């Protein structure tokens, strides 16, 4: 498994196209399309795998075995489920706002997919290396609020409406500590480029320099992807399934799969901002950089799942109280401490 | 800004109303302004059906009331008929009744604890409780041949003696039970979020508890140590040494904790009953055709949900003239509408779950 297997493929493709007499602009375009397609396919497959992984993790936490019938070790269970859901009728209740109702599950996959455009899967393996990558991911990820709200509002169901209201309240309040916690890292590095932030962690990972920011980011991230203990949006024991209540078949499946997509985005960002991205720990560079990246992302995802299957759900007022009274002041304090620390650091001139 | 309340119909197909219970909620945002509970979706007319059956044929119907603690439902009914007939139940049968009744109580409380964990949003606790409930059901299956609707009690005794292979797994279960309870305490009770969700939520004051005739863990959660097994012992309960766990604040948390503590106490009772199990017959001498003398009788037992009362009227024929059940789940629901006002949607589920209703019993 070579370090440059993927960049090698891209370079090979470019050389081949140049040899075939394709003009540089067109060849660049083709390479870009191939790259993005690869990311989209990879993310979709990964999401299918994550559903299986979640079911297995949940099963072992709950003293069960989990899916073990379809395919070896039940590996094809999600595929079978998706095929089944594809064959299901898409029920459109009579009094829904049809266009918005049908658009929401299609659009829900867009924000996480867009975010993946700038995620570096390994050294030099970002599909697009934006100089404001962090800003872009935050901006794109917060779009999903509107899509959940679309589903909740258009369903014309009170449970969906309550769920939609909760989405907006929750995401807006947790977006704030999410962004503020990343500010500490950005202050330390002085850049918004993802590649540069990862390279700045060659000495120490930012989880050690900014432990509080990591904690805040992680908690706010759990809330952003609506997972237990912050899964009030679905809150199946209270409001059935929140915005998804009226959806059936693939419409419902899209919401579910998008949740795993968002979870990957949050885990990737955690890895990039705090866990050193693709950098190998202890100088163990015998494994390629993209391999390290995946180990870290999956460790984060496992923690997400672990929490989900251990904790109960908090109440809506406690959620808001925790967000505004604890996380926001803490993240502001973190920025203050980071600033003072940097000033002293420079003044002493270590 | 002008706002208005809206009506949210919760149930009968809602996942967390523990069956087909329906509450019509008038909400202001997420806060309950008015709640109207609508039971009756599982009404089968058991009391009326009983009038067309012989006394023994009524027993399987009682199984279907609180199907999570069928043994105790059997007990309530046969106790009333025995009182009416003046039958003296043999001692061994009384001990067997205590053993299977307390096992049934453990099974019922395990369901209550597990489903409450789901109501609060933690799914894992549910499966832990059900894993252990399975062992109780296996034990009761050895006794009665059935997993849930046992029909094991008979008027004047029990249907069959305990099989010898029943005792080793029972001892093993009793030995494991305290550590299993510690596991639930660690996973569910001790969780910060769980406590934040349940402490000081849905407080029932002792006065209101008595005024609304609540019973069982719902009343004891409010700090009133009223347990029929202790205050008015029936059967052979006066021979056992056990405590009646009570709560302090009367909130959801106390009611929940009471149930886990009662599981531990039930284990103590079973242990003593097994040790003191006397030899002898398991059935009193009663005629083939049961014809109680004309008259009426009312007997009460402490079921897992509260006080189960059974009122039987006989006109001297082989069929009861009238049977009425005082179902604790139903009576405990009486205070619900008042209790819910001012709490949020999520608390509605938390409060309803803490009352631990079984719809088969509510609607009868």
């Amino acid at each position: 498994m070579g370090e440059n297997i993927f960049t090698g493929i891209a370079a090979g493709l470019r050389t081949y196209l140049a040899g075939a007499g394709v003009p540089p602009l067109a060849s660049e375009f083709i390479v870009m399309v191939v790259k993005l397609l690869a990311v989209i396919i990879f993310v979709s497959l990964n999401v299918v795998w994550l559903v299986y992984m979640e079911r297995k993790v949940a099963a072992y936490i709950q003293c069960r075995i989990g899916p073990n019938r379809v395919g070896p070790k039940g590996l094809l269970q999600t595929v079978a489920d998706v095929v089944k859901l594809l064959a299901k009728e898409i029920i459109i209740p009579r009094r829904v706002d049809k266009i918005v109702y049908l658009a929401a599950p299609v659009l829900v996959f867009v924000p996480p997919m867009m975010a993946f455009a700038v995620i570096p899967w390994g050294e030099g393996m970002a599909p697009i290396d934006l100089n404001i990558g962090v800003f872009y991911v935050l901006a794109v990820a917060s779009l999903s609020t509107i899509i959940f709200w679309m589903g909740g509002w258009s369903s014309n169901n009170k449970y969906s409406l309550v769920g939609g209201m909760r989405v907006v309240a929750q995401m807006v309040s947790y977006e704030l500590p999410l962004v503020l916690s990343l500010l500490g890292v950005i202050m330390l590095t002085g850049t918004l480029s993802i590649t540069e932030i990862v390279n700045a962690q060659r000495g120490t990972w930012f989880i050690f320099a900014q432990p509080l920011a990591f904690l805040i980011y992680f908690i706010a991230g759990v809330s952003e992807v609506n997972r237990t203990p912050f899964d009030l949006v679905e809150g199946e024991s209270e409001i059935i399934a929140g915005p998804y209540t009226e959806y059936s078949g693939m419409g419902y499946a899209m919401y579910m799969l998008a949740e795993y997509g968002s979870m990957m985005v949050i885990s990737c960002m955690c890895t990039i901002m705090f866990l050193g991205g693709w950098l190998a720990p202890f100088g163990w560079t015998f494994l390629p950089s993209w391999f390290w990246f995946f180990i870290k992302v999956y460790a984060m995802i496992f923690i997400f799942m672990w929490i989900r299957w251990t904790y109960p759900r908090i109440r809506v007022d406690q959620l808001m109280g925790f967000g505004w009274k604890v996380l926001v002041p803490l993240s502001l304090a973190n920025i203050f401490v980071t600033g003072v620390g940097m000033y002293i650091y420079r003044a002493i001139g270590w | 800004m002008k706002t208005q309340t809206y009506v949210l119909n919760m149930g009968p197909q809602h996942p967390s109303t523990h069956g087909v219970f329906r509450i019509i909620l008038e909400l202001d945002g997420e806060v309950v302004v008015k709640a109207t509970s609508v039971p009756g979706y599982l009404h089968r007319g058991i009391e009326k059906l009983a009038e067309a059956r012989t006394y023994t044929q009524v027993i399987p119907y009682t199984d279907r009331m609180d199907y999570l603690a069928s043994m105790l439902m059997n007990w309530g009914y046969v106790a009333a008929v025995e009182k009416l007939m003046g039958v003296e139940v043999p001692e061994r049968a009384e001990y067997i009744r205590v053993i299977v009744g307390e096992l049934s109580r453990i099974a019922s409380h395990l369901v209550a604890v597990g489903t409450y964990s789901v109501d609060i949003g933690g799914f894992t606790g549910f499966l832990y409780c059900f894993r252990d409930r399975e062992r109780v059901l296996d034990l009761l299956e050895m006794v009665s041949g059935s997993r849930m609707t046992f029909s094991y009690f008979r008027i004047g005794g029990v249907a069959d003696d305990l099989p010898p292979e029943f005792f080793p797994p029972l001892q093993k279960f009793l030995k494991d039970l305290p550590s299993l309870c510690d596991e639930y305490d660690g996973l569910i009770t001790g969780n910060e979020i769980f406590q934040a969700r349940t402490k000081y939520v849905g407080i029932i004051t002792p006065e209101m508890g008595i005024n609304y005739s609540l019973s069982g863990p719902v009343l004891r959660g409010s700090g009133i140590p009223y347990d029929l097994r202790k205050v008015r012992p029936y059967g052979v309960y006066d021979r056992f040494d056990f405590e009646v766990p009570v709560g302090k604040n009367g909130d959801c948390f106390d009611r929940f904790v009471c149930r886990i503590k009662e599981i531990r106490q039930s284990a103590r009772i079973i242990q003593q009953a097994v040790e003191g199990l006397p030899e002898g017959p398991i059935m009193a001498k009663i005629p083939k055709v049961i014809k109680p003398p004309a008259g009426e009788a009312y007997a009460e037992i402490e079921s897992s949900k509260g006080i189960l009362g059974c009122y039987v009227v006989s006109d001297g024929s082989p069929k009861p003239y009238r049977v009425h059940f005082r179902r604790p789940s139903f009576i405990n629901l009486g205070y619900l509408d008042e209790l819910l006002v001012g709490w949020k949607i999520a608390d509605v589920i938390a409060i309803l779950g803490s009352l631990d209703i079984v719809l088969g019993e509510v609607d009868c």
Side-chain angles (χ1 to χ4, degrees):
Chain A
M1 293 220 248
E3 165 65 51
N4 300 319
I5 179 163
F6 293 107
T7 39
I9 289 172
L13 188 63
R14 263 198 206 94
T15 342
Y16 170 75
L17 287 172
V22 182
L25 188 65
S27 102
E28 210 39 49
F29 179 75
I30 292 170
V31 171
M32 182 57 70
V33 168
V34 169
K35 269 203 250 178
L36 289 183
L37 265 182
V39 168
I40 289 173
I41 292 169
F42 174 75
V43 170
S44 312
L45 283 178
N46 224 329
V47 162
V48 169
W49 154 255
L50 281 180
V51 175
Y52 170 78
M53 177 177 162
E54 170 122 272
R55 293 182 62 178
K56 273 293 190 193
V57 169
Y60 284 116
I61 288 176
Q62 297 168 345
C63 324
R64 298 184 286 125
I65 298 171
N68 60 353
R69 283 286 177 273
V70 189
K73 300 263 173 208
L75 268 168
L76 297 176
Q77 183 65 51
T78 323
V79 179
D81 287 344
V82 169
V83 169
K84 181 204 72 178
L85 285 166
L86 276 172
K88 293 265 177 196
E89 183 188 357
I90 294 176
I91 298 165
I92 305 174
R94 198 155 13 110
R95 295 183 61 191
V96 301
D97 187 337
K98 243 185 183 169
I99 297 169
V100 183
Y101 177 80
L102 289 176
V106 179
L107 290 176
V108 76
F109 234 111
V110 173
M113 279 298 182
M114 283 170 78
F116 281 115
V118 296
I119 302 284
W121 303 96
E123 194 164 10
M125 275 172 62
I128 301 159
D129 195 3
L130 273 185
N131 59 352
I132 50 162
V134 178
F135 182 72
Y136 170 82
V137 170
L138 290 172
V140 167
S142 61
L143 277 179
S144 48
T145 314
I146 301 168
I147 294 154
F148 284 117
W149 169 241
M150 277 164 68
W153 180 260
S154 65
S155 291
N156 198 13
N157 175 319
K158 282 166 193 162
Y159 288 111
S160 304
L161 185 63
V162 173
M165 287 291 198
R166 284 183 178 184
V167 168
V168 176
Q170 180 178 338
M171 288 205 170
V172 167
S173 358
Y174 278 71
E175 199 78 34
L176 218 57
L178 190 84
V179 175
L180 290 177
S181 66
L182 290 186
L183 263 185
V185 172
I186 291 162
M187 281 162 73
L188 287 180
T189 54
T191 174
L192 283 169
S193 158
I194 287 177
T195 313
E196 280 174 42
I197 287 176
V198 173
N199 279 329
Q201 298 179 65
R202 285 203 185 274
T204 39
W205 294 357
F206 286 140
I207 185 173
F208 302 116
Q210 295 274 324
L212 185 63
F214 173 75
L215 207 62
I216 295 168
Y217 183 81
F218 182 72
I219 294 171
V222 175
S223 175
E224 278 293 293
V225 294
N226 302 322
R227 288 177 68 85
T228 314
F230 303 108
D231 62 338
L232 293 103
V233 173
E234 300 156 49
E236 80 282 346
S237 59
E238 300 149 24
I239 50 170
I240 325 287
Y244 330 136
T245 307
E246 293 287 356
Y247 285 95
S248 63
M250 211 49 210
Y252 179 74
M254 288 300 275
Y255 277 114
M256 285 296 112
L257 296 178
E259 183 190 315
Y260 290 96
S262 312
M263 192 165 79
M264 270 193 79
V265 173
I266 292 288
S267 303
C268 285
M269 285 303 282
C270 253
T271 308
I272 291 161
M273 303 300 286
F274 297 101
L275 300 178
W278 65 76
L279 299 174
F282 315 118
W284 289 350
T285 43
F286 53 86
L287 286 174
S289 60
W290 48 268
F291 196 84
W292 279 115
F293 187 79
F294 280 117
I295 288 181
K296 291 171 186 172
V297 168
Y298 272 95
M300 288 307 298
I301 289 176
F302 177 75
I303 294 174
F304 271 110
M305 292 178 175
W306 189 3
I307 289 177
R308 167 156 185 192
W309 296 106
T310 310
Y311 281 171
R313 181 184 312 118
I314 75 172
R315 205 170 55 204
V316 65
D317 55 324
Q318 293 163 344
L319 173 93
M320 301 308 264
F322 184 65
W324 289 103
K325 291 180 198 160
V326 179
L327 288 186
V328 171
L330 269 184
S331 49
L332 286 172
N334 183 56
I335 292 171
F336 179 73
V337 170
T338 309
V340 170
M342 280 170 67
Y343 182 78
I344 295 171
Y345 188 83
R346 277 186 202 142
I348 300 172
W350 264 338
Chain B
M1 196 168 72
K2 186 175 169 293
T3 59
Q4 76 189 88
T5 59
Y6 64 102
V7 174
L8 183 72
N9 177 40
M10 190 174 264
Q13 302 106 327
H14 189 280
S16 303
T17 51
H18 292 226
V20 283
F21 189 60
R22 179 183 177 203
I23 315 171
I24 302 168
L25 295 170
E26 194 179 329
L27 297 166
D28 178 12
E30 289 226 11
V31 180
V32 178
V33 179
K34 184 167 171 279
T36 316
S37 46
V38 188
Y41 287 88
L42 200 60
H43 179 64
R44 292 147 297 176
I46 287 176
E47 290 173 0
K48 186 70 190 165
L49 284 167
E51 292 169 17
R53 303 289 184 280
T54 64
Y55 282 91
T56 312
Q57 282 173 340
V58 176
I59 295 172
Y61 284 98
T62 61
D63 279 335
R64 272 94 186 152
M65 289 201 304
D66 181 355
Y67 39 79
L68 298 175
S70 303
M71 288 289 187
L72 295 163
M73 297 292 114
N74 287 174
W75 199 345
Y77 170 72
V78 297
V81 179
E82 281 158 5
K83 197 171 176 185
L84 186 61
M85 294 170 71
V87 176
E88 191 72 32
V89 181
E91 200 153 277
R92 185 173 172 85
E94 287 283 21
Y95 271 79
I96 293 175
R97 283 181 179 189
V98 168
I99 293 170
V100 295
E102 293 302 322
L103 277 176
S104 224
R105 189 188 313 276
I106 290 174
S108 166
H109 280 344
L110 283 177
V111 175
V113 168
T115 49
Y116 197 56
S117 162
V118 180
D119 287 343
I120 300 299
F123 196 75
T124 302
F126 176 75
L127 284 148
Y128 275 67
C129 290
F130 267 62
R131 173 197 67 186
D132 305 329
R133 173 176 176 258
E134 205 60 27
R135 295 172 67 178
V136 183
L137 295 188
D138 284 347
L139 285 170
L140 293 176
E141 191 182 359
M142 282 183 212
V143 175
S144 67
S146 167
R147 279 166 51 85
M148 277 180 83
T149 46
F150 308 108
S151 299
Y152 176 64
F153 283 50
R154 291 289 180 278
I155 294 157
V158 291
D160 211 346
D161 209 340
L162 297 177
E165 66 267 26
F166 170 77
F167 293 99
L170 175 71
Q171 288 298 350
K172 178 134 195 336
F173 178 69
L174 292 179
K175 203 170 132 265
D176 294 348
L177 200 55
S179 62
L180 297 175
C181 288
D182 291 343
E183 206 172 59
Y184 312 141
D185 278 338
L187 181 65
I188 311 169
T189 323
N191 189 295
E192 282 287 331
I193 298 173
F194 180 82
Q195 296 196 1
R197 280 292 307 279
T198 53
K199 274 194 171 165
Y200 306 106
V201 170
I203 294 175
I204 300 176
T205 59
E207 295 79 39
M208 292 316 271
I210 292 169
N211 287 350
Y212 275 85
S213 186
L214 308 182
S215 56
V218 179
L219 180 70
R220 292 194 285 273
S222 301
I224 301 170
Y226 194 79
D227 188 324
L228 278 190
R229 294 175 293 173
K230 206 78 175 175
V231 296
R232 223 185 304 147
Y234 54 94
V236 286
Y237 272 114
D238 49 349
R239 302 184 196 174
F240 303 122
D241 172 37
F242 65 99
E243 284 152 30
V244 177
V246 289
K248 211 167 64 199
N249 304 318
D251 52 16
C252 292
F253 183 74
D254 281 353
R255 294 193 277 277
F256 174 83
V257 170
C258 261
R259 293 201 178 91
I260 293 191
K261 285 182 181 161
E262 274 182 30
I263 294 176
R264 295 177 194 264
Q265 294 303 324
S266 289
R268 275 180 72 188
I269 298 173
I270 297 171
Q271 189 65 49
Q272 293 169 43
V274 170
E275 278 160 14
L277 186 65
E279 293 299 323
I282 51 160
M283 275 292 277
K285 291 219 174 336
I286 53 157
K288 270 261 166 355
V289 178
I290 294 168
K291 269 194 204 175
E296 54 182 56
Y298 180 70
E300 286 180 327
I301 63 143
E302 182 76 27
S303 120
S304 58
K305 313 286 187 287
I307 296 170
L308 172 80
C310 180
Y311 177 62
V312 181
V313 182
S314 164
D315 56 0
S317 70
K319 293 172 182 172
Y321 175 77
R322 176 84 171 91
V323 176
H324 176 71
F325 295 103
R326 179 214 190 271
R327 291 105 57 201
S329 291
F330 179 69
I331 309 271
N332 287 352
L333 271 181
Y335 189 33
L336 183 71
D337 294 359
E338 219 171 299
L339 193 58
L340 290 180
V341 172
W343 296 102
K344 299 197 165 52
I345 299 179
D347 297 323
V348 170
I349 301 301
I351 293 169
L352 183 66
S354 76
L355 296 182
D356 184 25
I357 56 166
V358 166
L359 264 292
E361 194 187 53
V362 170
D363 295 338
C364 188

